[in-house]
Amino acid sequence: MKRRDFLVGGLTLVGLGMGCGRQGGTTSNSQTAEEASDLKGARRDPSFSQGHRLLTKDFPTVATRVERCRGVILGGGISGLSAAWRWSHAGLEDYCLLELEEDLGGNSRSLEYPVTAAPIAAHYLPLPNLEARAVRRVLQEMGVLRVEKDGTASLDQLHLCHSPQERLFYRGQWFEGLLSDEILDEEGEVQAHAFHEHILKWREKRDKRGRKIFAIPLHYSSQDPEYLALDRISFSDYADAQGWTSPVLRWYLDYACRDDFGGSTRECSAWAGLHYFASRDGGGLGGPDDILVWPEGNRRFVRHFFDRVGHNCRPQCLVVSATPHETGYAIDYIDLKTKERVRIEAEVAINCLPIFTRPYLLKETPFEGFEYAPWVTANLSLKQTPEDRQGAGFIAWDNVIYDSPSLGYVVATHQDLAFDPLRPTVWTWYRPFIDESPKEVRKRLLEARWEDWVEIVLSDLEGVHPNIREVCERLDVTILGHGMIRPSVNFLWGPSLREARRPKGGMFFGHGDLSGMSLFEESQFRGVTAAEEALSYLGQSVESYL
């Protein structure tokens, strides 16, 4: 199962093409670009060109008008929308939310297709632990979670991922689950059993104060030095020390880190890797591996927030400066529709923009350790479900190809109770970049053409689905240059994150980066935390949602 270098369109993308999964037959690349010219699609990237104006300062230097309000929120991703949601619940309505993109939601946006919407990135929510109180409150508002007068909670089962949830293509064959005994040799089975027992002990362990060692939100985890020391070694070194040497088990650990962190076990800390497996317990609603999914992914939450706070949101606004002012903070932004520079003078501001923007907006020295993993995702609109090379006879929501540089794909129509493989469907394909300089990867991604990625995506998939080119009608590609924060060694519990969370007068910081993990629960926690800190600063007493 060797990977190969893929040279296409004059752009070398090492490891993007792949030879694994082709054991069942040879892949034909005979179809030329001209023959495939009827395939539609486009790059659906965030507004890089607008965001990069912060580097070039290509915008008006003087505001043409000044507005005043009590509060302003910078950024309309999950953290910014959660902050707005909290303010509105507290009765604070004199605020506005500024977002660069035309659509709100950040990584939780989706694309619309004739058959269904489909996510561009964030596509599921694990069942929230009891500590994730604000998440559970949102789910209750959405009608997904029901809480009785006696406190008993239950889920609307229709929102749980239908079976089969995941499958793995390994040596020319599909297997249900990602670490099946069927793909492990005798020694691998022994190690996998030891690994599961090891994780169970971590999940059940408590410190002297009764805290979980690994909680989610991360804020509620144990602070004992003996456990935080796990952040100072890599997950790879930790696995070596445990004797986890099975190639299949090590692939599984790497897959987990790529999936949630956009990094390998060599790049992510042992604390982060163990947190991935041991932090979730189902919160009394189900098992630790149960998840909530929707065709459009986590865009479902964006719609819910927008229904509540949409009248306060201003899309297509590029924030260019944030400076202390006699009444609080002065926020300047460029209205991308009118091209004018506008100033908002507010008593408080919540900054839910990524941390790497702060040197440009606040004139700060860059914080150390903040490393962002680049991603590429692709949405494939298909006439019907493609053939399986080995005729598996079933398709899962999440479909993974062993040892592929991609993470495989999820199926937007999987939750349809009347799912029919002969009907149109939409898949979302995911590709993180590991063990490379993120800066260099971002440069290559910006230079890549849509046609390059069409060939890379289809080549990856046709080793498993030989007629993927015949049934694919449209393929949209999204480049996420700063897709997610990576929990590198000695970052999660280091001084840089603590310092970045510290408020500056009337400005409070709420981006999910401040948890060091790009997870829905963390983004919401940070947004709500910042909103409640700002309310307290304004002298408003509220019951905490956290």
Side-chain angles (χ1 to χ4, degrees):
M1 295 181 289
K2 296 179 181 178
R3 300 182 186 183
R4 62 182 173 86
D5 292 349
F6 194 80
L7 180 62
V8 61
L11 176 69
T12 303
L13 294 167
V14 178
L16 290 185
M18 41 76 69
C20 60
R22 297 199 174 98
Q23 299 85 341
T26 350
T27 297
S28 168
N29 288 318
S30 59
Q31 190 177 28
T32 66
E34 290 181 2
E35 290 171 328
S37 60
D38 58 340
L39 178 64
K40 298 179 176 62
R43 289 272 293 266
R44 305 297 294 270
D45 306 337
S47 301
F48 296 138
S49 60
Q50 294 294 344
H52 290 168
R53 292 169 70 183
L54 290 177
L55 296 169
T56 61
K57 296 183 170 35
D58 175 27
F59 44 73
T61 57
V62 179
T64 56
R65 58 188 171 91
V66 178
E67 302 175 358
R68 291 175 178 82
C69 59
R70 295 208 74 191
V72 61
I73 298 171
L74 315 183
I78 292 299
S79 56
L81 289 169
S82 295
W85 169 80
R86 184 65 190 94
W87 272 1
S88 289
H89 268 285
L92 175 59
E93 291 291 352
D94 183 20
Y95 73 89
C96 65
L97 181 152
L98 306 175
E99 164 59 32
L100 172 62
E101 304 297 334
E102 187 174 355
D103 296 325
L104 281 78
N107 285 350
S108 293
R109 289 176 294 131
S110 64
L111 298 179
E112 296 289 335
Y113 295 94
V115 62
T116 182
I120 64 161
H123 51 292
Y124 69 99
L125 175 72
L127 297 188
N129 293 355
L130 288 172
E131 297 92 343
R133 295 173 181 86
V135 177
R136 293 169 79 102
R137 182 183 287 266
V138 172
L139 290 174
Q140 192 174 352
E141 288 181 2
M142 294 168 64
V144 176
L145 179 66
R146 180 181 177 88
V147 180
E148 307 296 341
K149 291 181 179 179
D150 63 359
T152 304
S154 61
L155 283 171
D156 182 340
Q157 301 291 307
L158 285 177
H159 302 278
L160 286 172
C161 186
H162 299 167
S163 183
Q165 180 172 308
E166 54 194 10
R167 64 176 182 167
L168 175 68
F169 192 78
Y170 177 78
R171 293 187 176 177
Q173 188 176 346
W174 284 109
F175 296 89
E176 189 168 353
L178 299 185
L179 193 61
S180 164
D181 286 344
E182 297 174 271
I183 68 173
L184 291 161
D185 58 21
E186 186 174 346
E187 176 59 24
E189 283 190 49
V190 171
Q191 291 185 24
H193 177 76
F195 166 75
H196 288 305
E197 289 295 316
H198 190 84
I199 293 301
L200 184 60
K201 288 178 181 177
W202 277 121
R203 187 177 292 150
E204 295 175 344
K205 191 175 181 62
R206 300 293 183 271
D207 67 9
K208 294 175 183 177
R209 295 179 56 194
R211 281 189 160 196
K212 292 178 178 178
I213 311 306
F214 305 103
I216 191 162
L218 172 148
H219 173 81
Y220 298 109
S221 301
S222 172
Q223 308 289 301
D224 287 1
E226 64 178 297
Y227 305 125
L228 300 190
L230 292 166
D231 192 44
R232 296 196 291 272
I233 62 172
S234 73
F235 195 28
S236 178
D237 286 346
Y238 185 87
D240 287 343
Q242 303 304 316
W244 299 335
T245 58
S246 162
V248 175
L249 177 58
R250 292 301 285 263
W251 169 86
Y252 179 60
L253 302 186
D254 256 320
Y255 171 85
C257 288
R258 290 190 297 143
D259 183 38
D260 258 24
F261 309 139
S264 67
T265 53
R266 295 173 294 279
E267 295 171 302
C268 299
S269 77
W271 197 97
L274 291 168
H275 181 275
Y276 175 94
F277 292 103
S279 61
R280 303 189 186 280
D281 56 20
L285 302 172
D289 297 323
D290 289 338
I291 57 176
L292 299 165
V293 300
W294 297 273
E296 72 273 30
N298 289 1
R299 180 61 177 265
R300 182 66 62 99
F301 291 102
V302 177
R303 292 212 315 261
H304 176 77
F305 288 137
F306 189 79
D307 286 345
R308 177 100 193 187
V309 306
H311 58 285
N312 295 97
C313 297
R314 299 184 189 180
Q316 294 187 278
C317 294
L318 171 65
V319 178
V320 294
S321 74
T323 54
H325 187 267
E326 58 186 9
T327 60
Y329 260 85
I331 308 298
D332 282 21
Y333 71 91
I334 308 301
D335 186 325
L336 299 181
K337 297 183 290 294
T338 65
K339 298 181 171 46
E340 65 176 331
R341 180 169 179 147
V342 182
R343 169 164 293 185
I344 298 178
E345 295 176 355
E347 295 177 55
V348 291
I350 299 180
N351 190 333
C352 292
L353 296 172
I355 307 306
F356 60 80
T357 65
R358 284 171 58 169
Y360 307 103
L361 304 181
L362 300 172
K363 312 305 180 191
E364 294 178 330
T365 302
F367 290 96
E368 294 183 359
F370 282 81
E371 188 172 84
Y372 292 82
W375 282 71
V376 173
T377 67
N379 292 88
L380 293 84
S381 180
L382 307 171
K383 299 175 188 175
Q384 63 184 61
T385 299
E387 300 169 2
D388 271 334
R389 190 171 290 284
Q390 293 299 318
F394 72 98
I395 193 166
W397 170 74
D398 188 14
N399 304 266
V400 179
I401 304 169
Y402 183 81
D403 215 21
S404 167
S406 79
L407 294 175
Y409 60 90
V410 297
V411 180
T413 55
H414 182 70
Q415 294 298 97
D416 187 350
L417 296 176
F419 177 80
D420 181 350
L422 298 179
R423 291 170 57 189
T425 186
V426 181
W427 291 358
T428 305
W429 176 92
Y430 293 85
R431 168 66 164 97
F433 291 82
I434 65 172
D435 296 327
E436 292 186 80
S437 161
K439 183 178 180 179
E440 292 302 315
V441 172
R442 280 191 283 272
K443 181 180 177 182
R444 297 205 311 265
L445 294 181
L446 281 174
E447 294 170 352
R449 302 176 306 157
W450 170 79
E451 292 86 354
D452 301 335
W453 279 104
V454 167
E455 187 59 36
I456 290 165
V457 174
L458 295 179
S459 293
D460 187 27
L461 292 174
E462 71 179 343
V464 179
H465 302 287
N467 70 332
I468 186 73
R469 296 176 188 265
E470 300 167 27
V471 300
C472 186
E473 296 183 301
R474 183 177 180 91
L475 197 156
D476 293 311
V477 174
T478 301
I479 305 296
L480 301 169
H482 297 82
M484 56 170 55
I485 188 73
R486 182 180 288 163
S488 305
V489 175
N490 203 27
F491 176 62
L492 290 175
W493 298 102
S496 192
L497 262 180
R498 287 196 301 272
E499 181 61 29
R501 293 175 189 142
R502 198 185 310 278
K504 287 192 160 193
M507 175 167 283
F508 302 85
F509 299 97
H511 196 278
D513 295 354
L514 296 173
S515 285
M517 296 181 178
S518 295
L519 306 175
F520 178 90
E521 300 98 324
E522 298 297 344
S523 293
Q524 200 216 15
F525 177 83
R526 294 298 165 189
V528 172
T529 296
E532 292 186 349
E533 288 175 340
L535 289 170
S536 178
Y537 182 86
L538 291 171
Q540 188 168 337
S541 177
V542 294
E543 176 189 359
S544 177
Y545 280 13
L546 305 172

